[in-house]
Amino acid sequence: MHEHGAKGQALMLVTDPAAFLAEISSERYPVRAAATARAAFLVSPASDRLAAESAQDNRYMDMAKVPDPARALRQHAELARRLGADVPVLTFPGDPDCPDDMFPNNVFATARGRLIVGRMRHAVRRREAERADIRGFFRDVLGYRTIDLSQRDFVAELTGALVIDRARGIGYCGLSERCDMHGARAMHEAFGLNLTFCFELAPGEYHTNVVLALLAGRAAILAPDGFRDPAVPSAITQACDGRAVALSVAQKQAFAGNAIALAPDRAWMSTAGAAALEPAQRAALQRAGFALRDVELDEIEKAGGSLRCCVAEIF
């Protein structure tokens, strides 16, 4: 479907898999930008509890597990150190009253010259969007313009819900309790995307980036059962010219889909996710040009997210 924004600009949002494939094959979406970020920022874990409110629609959380804050902090620091091999990494301090703030990519994201602040579903996460230090860093230090969605009347949890091929400006937006269609439209505009493919996630799935990763715009890791319509993962695979690793339910549960590439030739996921992969899947990633690296994050994964959730990219 074609829509138009407030200023009359075309909003190319597509909801039908066949229409998406027809559009993406039109050669109107060449590589126009860098596929990977120039830096990244993290927020260190600081809470000794899990966010009960978030657990309402995040089945990857287990409220019976008791977090170990010191161990989580050690794992998080090691993550920052290891990712520094690919890009400069900044770490902001966590807030003990915000147990999910170690997953900043849902709340803060960037596009060229602008910081985007998301509209979170749960009040416990809306507090994160008010952080003056992160907003001030991008405004006053980097000179970025702020696009603030945090007070709008929709839900848009940024790169948790929206997985982006930055090279071609194509978004893949999963609709769930964490992102509605109004939020998808707002993110399409805020990120300045050329095309966004919107689809429903399977019941019980909360964020797209748990069931889909796009690695430098060249290859996908996806869990077919995470999508309501099986034609959607098939279309995404075709859009990647077949360079896609399909995950089993168990591999998805191990967070193998929560991966990221911060450099054109390297993919990162948690140790649990990497251990769940089969040799043929690792070989497929290697053929696509990615060396796989992993970091132990089992303590952080108790909170229902993994490596990619911890990383907010700076473009």
Side-chain angles (χ1 to χ4, degrees):
M1 65 180 176
H2 296 262
E3 300 187 9
H4 293 277
K7 297 180 181 179
Q9 73 271 32
L11 293 183
M12 178 59 78
L13 280 85
V14 178
T15 57
D16 177 69
F20 166 69
L21 285 174
E23 182 62 30
I24 206 169
S25 64
S26 66
E27 299 185 356
R28 287 198 291 265
Y29 305 96
V31 171
R32 294 175 177 167
T36 56
R38 60 194 184 114
F41 79 85
L42 282 61
V43 175
S44 60
S47 180
D48 60 358
R49 60 188 174 88
L50 301 179
E53 189 177 5
S54 297
Q56 296 172 18
D57 60 351
N58 182 348
R59 69 180 182 186
Y60 296 89
M61 294 177 67
D62 184 353
M63 297 303 291
K65 293 181 178 178
V66 179
D68 180 340
R71 188 164 184 264
L73 193 60
R74 288 195 299 271
Q75 290 184 348
H76 193 269
E78 179 65 5
L79 171 64
R81 187 187 73 80
R82 296 281 304 284
L83 295 182
D86 289 348
V87 292
V89 177
L90 310 172
T91 301
F92 289 92
D95 182 343
D97 292 329
C98 295
D100 279 343
D101 67 353
M102 61 186 164
F103 304 134
N105 79 303
N106 310 146
V107 186
F108 300 101
T110 66
R112 185 178 180 87
R114 55 198 182 273
L115 170 71
I116 303 158
V117 185
R119 173 62 162 90
M120 307 304 293
R121 181 188 184 201
H122 296 301
V124 68
R125 302 222 64 188
R126 289 179 210 145
R127 293 199 294 268
E128 298 172 41
E130 300 169 3
R131 286 190 63 147
D133 57 346
I134 294 177
R135 288 171 176 259
F137 173 78
F138 283 95
R139 181 187 64 241
D140 303 330
V141 178
L142 296 187
Y144 281 24
R145 174 169 62 96
T146 299
I147 300 177
D148 191 350
L149 309 179
S150 65
Q151 302 301 314
R152 303 285 292 277
D153 59 352
F154 48 66
V155 183
E157 299 203 353
L158 301 188
T159 55
L162 180 66
V163 174
I164 305 174
D165 175 351
R166 300 279 186 160
R168 296 195 288 170
I170 299 172
Y172 297 80
C173 189
L175 305 177
S176 70
E177 293 92 342
R178 303 295 185 94
C179 181
D180 55 32
M181 198 65 196
H182 294 294
R185 293 187 191 102
M187 292 192 297
H188 177 93
E189 287 187 332
F191 283 95
L193 299 178
N194 300 314
L195 171 68
T196 297
F197 181 24
C198 298
F199 43 82
E200 292 186 18
L201 297 180
E205 298 295 350
Y206 78 112
H207 272 160
T208 314
N209 72 3
V210 178
V211 302
L212 172 65
L214 286 178
L215 304 176
R218 299 201 315 271
I221 301 173
L222 50 79
D225 80 294
F227 303 82
R228 182 182 290 271
D229 181 355
V232 170
S234 176
I236 295 172
T237 298
Q238 291 183 62
C240 293
D241 294 325
R243 292 186 299 271
V245 172
L247 302 177
S248 68
V249 175
Q251 290 171 329
K252 178 193 69 177
Q253 292 292 133
F255 291 109
N258 199 237
I260 194 170
L262 292 172
D265 58 354
R266 186 160 30 223
W268 292 92
M269 65 177 64
S270 74
T271 298
L277 295 179
E278 299 291 340
Q281 294 170 313
R282 289 173 172 268
L285 291 175
Q286 188 170 20
R287 286 195 301 273
F290 295 98
L292 181 62
R293 298 291 182 266
D294 65 272
V295 183
E296 186 69 65
L297 294 174
D298 62 302
E299 197 63 45
I300 286 170
E301 288 171 339
K302 291 178 180 178
S306 189
L307 189 146
R308 197 273 170 268
C309 298
C310 291
V311 182
E313 298 158 290
I314 301 177
F315 286 88

